[in-house]
Amino acid sequence: MKALFIGGTGIISSAITTQLAEAGCELYLLNRGTRNGNLPDNVKLLQADINDEARVAELIRELDFDVVADFIAFRPEQLERDFRLFNGKTKQFVFISSASAYQKPLSDYRVSESTPLANPYWEYSRNKIACEDYLMKQYREHRFPITIVRPSHTYDERSIPLGVHGRNGSWQVAKRMLANKPVIIHGDGTSLWTMTHNADFAKGFIGLMGNLHAIGESVQITSDETLTWNQIYEAIADALGVKLQAVHVASSFLAACSTEDYTGGLIGDKANSVVFDNAKLKRLVPGFVATTRFDQGIKQTVDYILAHPEHQKEDPAFDQWCDRVIDALNGAIASVKG
């Protein structure tokens, strides 16, 4: 198989790149070259900014592919560019959408590909929906061979997946845990969520590559393991070897008092209970099963981050914000109690 990935080094795509390289796929990565240091030797690089359409057109002028996958597009105009570049040059074009595009609030916590797409809370999700609409139009009108993939919360060894964190990532929350400081969990922590290790996601994704039954289809790829947010934070604390000091704060309150996009990220995504039905994926990719249990995967992530200080990016502004939110909550409790 001959494939081109636009991106290829991110959380979702890096495990796919590694597994395909190990399997001997003729794999090209098109990116700016800022994170290519640990790529397998047999991966071929096309170094360019995908937004430089003329440069990319020249690089691929003599190339055709079985699969082209765009991991970094999130606006319709970027898919319009991809259509101009790859129409007639690939047998399958895979777009990475998002499970956050599903209906919010959900009418049924059980989510399948037939769940409506509608998210009034998050512009990111609305853009993904618009991208899907554009691609389906090209499939219907021009037979552009698209497959839409919807991941949910996917993680790797480089970052701890959380519900509430600052713009510098998740390390500051881990640092608070290590210092025995309280950490914020949105809501009461009992809503249901799904974490998927990128190595498991890769197995499902690779099974869709070159799969003629996936053309014109939308497919979600997640683990079948369902956890509460309390269980997720407990597993992270256990991996760090500390006792969790949790403070539960309403998602609406967090969204109202933060400069981060908690309206989109919480109200439009993580505050909702979701249980994913992967029956369609398993019909298309017989034998697919996610095998990395969260408590096992997060232990690998924590061990890696603790051993690699470059992934320990501090966020003092977020740390101070957490303290203010917790102090305000405790003050309100004291005031009501009199």
Side-chain angles (χ1 to χ4, degrees):
M1 182 182 295
K2 185 177 180 182
L4 170 68
F5 287 174
I6 303 168
T9 61
I11 290 175
I12 288 178
S13 58
S14 58
I16 307 170
T17 295
T18 298
Q19 291 183 25
L20 285 176
E22 291 173 351
C25 173
E26 184 180 354
L27 179 61
Y28 294 76
L29 298 191
L30 173 63
N31 59 44
R32 292 175 295 178
T34 57
R35 294 197 296 180
N36 290 336
N38 297 319
L39 288 177
D41 292 337
N42 57 336
V43 172
K44 301 176 182 180
L45 298 177
L46 301 176
Q47 190 164 333
D49 184 336
I50 184 61
N51 296 306
D52 187 348
E53 188 173 337
R55 167 67 174 160
V56 173
E58 178 59 27
L59 286 174
I60 64 171
R61 186 166 56 88
E62 302 297 330
L63 297 173
D64 292 287
F65 303 97
D66 296 305
V67 179
V68 172
D70 193 334
F71 290 90
I72 59 176
F74 60 94
R75 296 193 308 273
E77 59 266 29
Q78 295 169 325
L79 275 302
E80 294 170 8
R81 172 207 63 209
D82 288 352
F83 178 75
R84 292 191 296 268
L85 285 168
F86 299 111
N87 187 31
K89 295 186 74 66
T90 184
K91 297 175 184 176
Q92 182 185 31
F93 179 87
V94 184
F95 168 60
I96 311 303
S97 185
S98 170
S100 70
Y102 288 122
Q103 176 190 60
K104 302 294 184 307
L106 286 161
S107 57
D108 189 331
Y109 71 94
R110 294 164 296 187
V111 176
S112 72
E113 289 81 0
S114 63
T115 299
L117 303 182
N119 191 332
Y121 302 103
W122 204 359
E123 183 182 10
Y124 167 83
S125 304
R126 294 194 296 275
N127 282 333
K128 288 289 191 178
I129 294 169
C131 288
E132 290 197 24
D133 289 343
Y134 171 78
L135 287 176
M136 289 304 299
K137 183 175 187 292
Q138 302 316 307
Y139 170 69
R140 290 191 298 266
E141 296 181 3
H142 303 287
R143 306 305 297 173
F144 189 46
I146 62 102
T147 298
I148 294 167
V149 171
R150 296 178 188 142
S152 186
H153 205 155
T154 307
Y155 70 101
D156 68 356
E157 74 280 5
R158 293 173 290 184
S159 66
I160 299 169
L162 292 166
V164 180
H165 60 78
R167 61 186 60 190
N168 285 352
S170 58
W171 169 249
Q172 195 66 45
V173 178
K175 187 177 179 183
R176 289 180 69 89
M177 288 185 181
L178 289 168
N180 200 36
K181 295 181 68 175
V183 298
I184 294 171
I185 300 178
H186 60 277
D188 65 0
T190 62
S191 59
L192 303 176
W193 198 245
T194 298
M195 296 290 189
T196 306
H197 195 278
N198 70 341
D200 287 328
F201 181 90
K203 291 184 289 186
F205 186 93
I206 291 170
L208 295 175
M209 292 178 63
N211 188 331
L212 64 89
H213 301 293
I215 302 300
E217 297 287 348
S218 301
V219 188
Q220 60 192 27
I221 304 176
T222 76
S223 169
D224 290 322
E225 180 184 23
T226 302
L227 300 158
T228 68
W229 281 103
N230 286 332
Q231 290 173 321
I232 290 167
Y233 276 75
E234 287 282 3
I236 295 168
D238 187 65
L240 289 165
V242 299
K243 181 175 175 56
L244 177 65
Q245 306 291 333
V247 175
H248 295 95
V249 184
S251 298
S252 57
F253 183 83
L254 293 171
C257 66
S258 174
T259 58
E260 304 293 333
D261 185 17
Y262 289 149
T263 297
L266 287 181
I267 311 302
D269 195 26
K270 298 178 183 68
N272 297 267
S273 281
V274 291
V275 176
F276 292 97
D277 178 356
N278 288 304
K280 184 175 184 179
L281 172 65
K282 292 173 183 178
R283 288 196 303 270
L284 292 169
V285 187
F288 168 79
V289 60
T291 56
T292 307
R293 209 172 62 206
F294 182 69
D295 63 314
Q296 299 168 336
I298 199 61
K299 182 67 166 62
Q300 298 169 9
T301 297
V302 165
D303 288 346
Y304 183 88
I305 290 174
L306 292 177
H308 291 79
E310 66 272 20
H311 294 294
Q312 300 172 16
K313 192 172 183 180
E314 299 198 7
D315 194 339
F318 173 75
D319 195 52
Q320 294 162 14
W321 177 82
C322 289
D323 290 337
R324 292 197 302 272
V325 169
I326 293 167
D327 288 345
L329 187 64
N330 289 335
I333 292 171
S335 174
V336 171
K337 282 185 174 181

